[in-house]
Amino acid sequence: MERGACWCASDSRISQARVTYPHVCLKHTANPVLVCLCPQVALAVPVQFLYNVYLHPLAHFPGPMLNRGSNIPKMIHQIRGTVHEEMLRLHQIYGPVVRLAPNELTYTSATALKEIYGNRGGKKSMPPQTALGKHDKMMFGATAFIWLESHAEHLRHRKILATSFSESSLRAQEPIILGYAQQLTNQLRGRAARGEVVDLWAWFNYLTFDVIGDLTFGEPFDCVKDGQFHPWISFIFSNLTNMMYSQMIITMGIFGTFIEMLVPKKIWAEAISHAQATRDKVDRRLARKTERPDFVTGFMKHINQPGGITSNELYADSNIFLMAGSETSATLLAVAVYYLLRNPQKLAKLQEEIRSAFSREEDVTFGPVSKMPYLLAVINESLRMHPPLPAGINRTVSSGGAFIDDQLVPEGTILQVPHWAAFHLEANFQDPLVFVPERWLEACPARYINDNRDVFQPFSYGQRNCIGRSLAYMEAKITLARLIMTFDMELMPESAGWNQQRVFLLWEKRPLYVRLTAR
Ligand code: HEM
């Protein structure tokens, strides 16, 4: 194609240009393309905007005019990492339902939460945004169960995988968790003895990644032992950020496809080599005949059996275990430590509960810690203050539409209950910005008695809620109790505002600097 020539000039030029699109377009023909498209775009954009604001089926839902007309305001906040704060601000102004973007509504009521994520009393449940899993097939030959649109298919996976997350499986897995928790305190004891300040955010990630890696693949990643991140973790982190961009691209429709074509080849190559490494690890685990109680032991007999799951499906599901089960749990632990160190009276209460119950760290096991009310209250309040998935999970209204809080929402609308915003609204929680574990105690102070506990679903709700919820509580209780048992902790001044983080699907990763003193 000649430099400066227009694609619209002839059909053959169009097809030629499309074949070599990324190079031709970016280096030589960007201006002519824009020249050709400009009049149409210039006309289409305001027409679409006016349609969205005044004639769209969601036109009567409240929200700022710019959000009602265009995806751009939401995207700006997503790119800046402030979408969670923006959703809180909008709900404070407009109430429990807000039109965040032309085709998106966000809700903060418990009734809406049940309708959006729940089983809807026999009506068709709402599927997740399945397009996010569209690259799974290319990487693993199957889509991970979390993205499956069909509820029947999701349920087939879920029933089989759930055997590895049952109470009895958890009890069998406890020694693996205890082993890593012990390794963590040993490592930290060494650093405390040398007077080093440690980044507990990183150490919690080492721990949770080791635990989930070991339970998924039956072999260690040795992050805690080596005191450093495994390259696998950086891939997961960058993959999560990519998912946020994918989500944005999907909402852009045809423009999204255009943008997707510009993704550098290096990113695809990295994703494919990561997928290969996942497959190799799963294959090694399947070839190993062991009764060690990891996830695979629980569902081994269903793999490649009629009505079971195929090994391709297992590759994709294993990838999800790693992504869903490591960073989320590390966030919870880091948040709990941060808020305890900022609130010495609450820390003292927890120290009293734990230190009066045990005389040695080795005695801190799940049985006794699962009966500690203040420890549970601290964990729940940490999940409220800083939910690991701050922006909520999207669902799409299925055929026939849905009645939510007495209003009809048409088919195809994207919905969510944004966790951070819902948990920080004064309409839902008294003193929402204050860390008050007592609100979760049975003997709840009168001031907090009317808190809207039903909207507090940090692990989501319904058939697709978090399968690893009990595992996450177990890991958090054991690790936190062992830390409190073993060390006194002091927050370093450079981490004083650690909770002020941006959100890119998950929270921005920032070091949590703490000085530990062994007791
Ligand atoms: C504090 C820690 C955690 C939090 C806050 C959390 C939260 C969530 C949320 C909000 C969902 C979305 C459910 C939905 O789509 O409605 C989810 C799904 C999921 N989580 Fe977790 N999670 C945590 C820990 C874990 C752990 C330890 C695992 C262990 C492997 C895990 C595995 C999964 C899986 C596999 C799904 C998909 C479930 C499905 O589609 O049926 N999560 N989690």
Side-chain angles (χ1 to χ4, degrees):
M1 178 182 282
E2 282 169 40
R3 197 183 171 120
C6 175
W7 286 8
C8 308
S10 80
D11 285 354
S12 64
R13 276 188 183 169
I14 293 173
S15 57
Q16 190 190 350
R18 277 192 186 142
V19 173
T20 53
Y21 182 69
H23 308 288
V24 175
C25 167
L26 288 183
K27 289 196 179 135
H28 306 300
T29 61
N31 289 342
V33 172
L34 287 179
V35 168
C36 284
L37 291 179
C38 257
Q40 286 93 324
V41 171
L43 192 68
V45 169
V47 169
Q48 182 71 51
F49 185 91
L50 291 174
Y51 169 81
N52 288 342
V53 172
Y54 296 107
L55 299 172
H56 192 284
L58 299 181
H60 57 290
F61 283 93
M65 182 184 280
L66 285 177
N67 291 55
R68 289 187 284 137
S70 152
N71 280 304
I72 291 174
K74 182 195 77 175
M75 281 179 188
I76 289 173
H77 283 286
Q78 282 179 318
I79 292 167
R80 283 186 184 155
T82 53
V83 72
H84 61 306
E85 290 168 349
E86 177 63 0
M87 285 193 272
L88 175 61
R89 192 183 73 82
L90 295 180
H91 280 288
Q92 282 166 337
I93 298 171
Y94 294 98
V97 54
V98 169
R99 192 169 170 208
L100 180 67
N103 195 36
E104 283 185 57
L105 298 177
T106 80
Y107 287 86
T108 53
S109 72
T111 42
L113 180 134
K114 287 181 182 156
E115 190 64 18
I116 294 169
Y117 299 98
N119 298 330
R120 312 188 60 227
K123 286 173 275 170
K124 206 170 172 203
S125 305
M126 299 189 198
Q129 236 180 347
T130 50
L132 272 183
K134 72 178 181 178
H135 300 307
D136 273 14
K137 267 227 158 79
M138 182 185 83
M139 295 193 337
F140 302 109
T143 305
F145 76 123
I146 191 169
W147 312 124
L148 289 174
E149 181 168 4
S150 152
H151 294 298
E153 277 292 280
H154 174 266
L155 200 60
R156 171 176 63 83
H157 276 240
R158 175 94 186 200
K159 272 188 177 156
I160 292 167
L161 300 178
T163 49
S164 298
F165 294 87
S166 65
E167 283 304 314
S168 61
S169 295
L170 268 188
R171 268 199 302 278
Q173 290 156 3
E174 183 183 355
I176 295 178
I177 297 170
L178 289 173
Y180 284 110
Q182 183 75 56
Q183 221 178 60
L184 177 75
T185 44
N186 287 347
Q187 287 280 37
L188 294 179
R189 211 178 271 116
R191 277 149 179 89
R194 295 196 291 275
E196 288 175 24
V197 168
V198 293
D199 170 9
L200 276 186
W201 161 252
W203 281 97
F204 289 145
N205 266 287
Y206 304 159
L207 173 89
T208 57
F209 191 75
D210 274 355
V211 168
I212 291 296
D214 197 336
L215 289 174
T216 305
F217 300 125
E219 55 184 56
F221 277 103
D222 284 340
C223 299
V224 177
K225 187 164 146 250
D226 299 340
Q228 60 182 23
F229 281 112
H230 191 280
W232 205 288
I233 305 186
S234 26
F235 181 84
I236 287 184
F237 285 164
S238 61
N239 204 26
L240 284 162
T241 310
N242 292 342
M243 276 170 65
M244 185 197 82
Y245 287 114
S246 300
Q247 204 167 27
M248 283 167 50
I249 286 169
I250 290 161
T251 54
M252 292 170 77
I254 187 78
F255 292 111
T257 313
F258 173 82
I259 291 174
E260 212 175 17
M261 290 166 76
L262 306 180
V263 173
K265 287 203 177 87
K266 185 172 161 272
I267 292 192
W268 293 124
E270 272 175 13
I272 287 166
S273 80
H274 170 78
Q276 189 53 49
T278 308
R279 298 156 81 103
D280 291 345
K281 272 192 178 288
V282 172
D283 286 344
R284 273 206 300 279
R285 170 62 190 86
L286 291 177
R288 215 175 298 132
K289 302 280 172 257
T290 169
E291 284 307 303
R292 197 167 170 273
D294 55 27
F295 293 157
V296 177
T297 308
F299 46 71
M300 187 72 140
K301 62 174 188 273
H302 299 286
I303 298 168
N304 294 325
Q305 298 302 315
I309 54 174
T310 65
S311 31
N312 279 356
E313 288 172 335
L314 182 58
Y315 300 144
D317 291 348
S318 300
N319 190 48
I320 287 297
F321 288 157
L322 267 279
M323 276 171 61
S326 50
E327 211 266 2
T328 45
S329 299
T331 300
L332 168 56
L333 281 164
V335 171
V337 167
Y338 172 78
Y339 278 104
L340 285 168
L341 298 189
R342 298 289 312 213
N343 293 276
Q345 284 179 339
K346 314 291 178 193
L347 175 64
K349 267 189 174 178
L350 186 61
Q351 285 171 334
E352 165 62 20
E353 182 174 80
I354 291 165
R355 292 176 181 176
S356 65
F358 304 105
S359 50
R360 300 175 318 153
E361 185 197 338
E362 296 71 48
D363 299 333
V364 180
T365 57
F366 189 57
V369 295
S370 64
K371 297 190 188 85
M372 296 186 154
Y374 202 71
L375 178 60
L376 176 61
V378 164
I379 288 173
N380 281 339
E381 184 66 348
S382 305
L383 287 166
R384 188 191 68 79
M385 293 296 286
H386 208 89
L389 286 165
I393 313 288
N394 285 343
R395 292 285 191 267
T396 312
V397 178
S398 33
S399 56
F403 265 98
I404 302 179
D405 286 349
D406 298 328
Q407 276 182 300
L408 179 66
V409 180
E411 172 181 347
T413 308
I414 296 169
L415 306 175
Q416 64 159 298
V417 175
H419 293 160
W420 192 82
F423 303 169
H424 283 80
L425 267 183
E426 262 180 16
N428 283 336
F429 290 95
Q430 188 72 36
D431 307 330
L433 301 177
V434 187
F435 182 72
V436 188
E438 289 72 12
R439 68 173 93 229
W440 301 104
L441 293 175
E442 230 173 84
C444 168
R447 184 169 172 76
Y448 302 103
I449 211 89
N450 291 324
D451 278 358
N452 186 355
R453 287 171 191 74
D454 288 348
V455 87
F456 176 71
Q457 298 292 348
F459 295 91
S460 198
Y461 182 84
Q463 175 187 318
R464 292 173 186 255
N465 72 353
C466 178
I467 202 170
R469 184 177 188 274
S470 304
L471 175 61
Y473 272 107
M474 180 196 233
E475 203 176 10
K477 284 178 178 180
I478 289 175
T479 310
L480 197 55
R482 283 189 168 226
L483 271 187
I484 302 266
M485 197 54 209
T486 315
F487 302 105
D488 287 325
M489 296 184 261
E490 181 195 352
L491 188 68
M492 293 291 99
E494 57 268 44
S495 290
W498 180 82
N499 60 331
Q500 302 300 317
Q501 298 169 7
R502 292 181 301 166
V503 167
F504 301 101
L505 201 64
L506 302 180
W507 295 98
E508 185 179 39
K509 289 108 200 71
R510 287 175 57 192
L512 177 63
Y513 291 120
V514 173
R515 190 188 302 284
L516 303 170
T517 311
R519 295 177 59 232

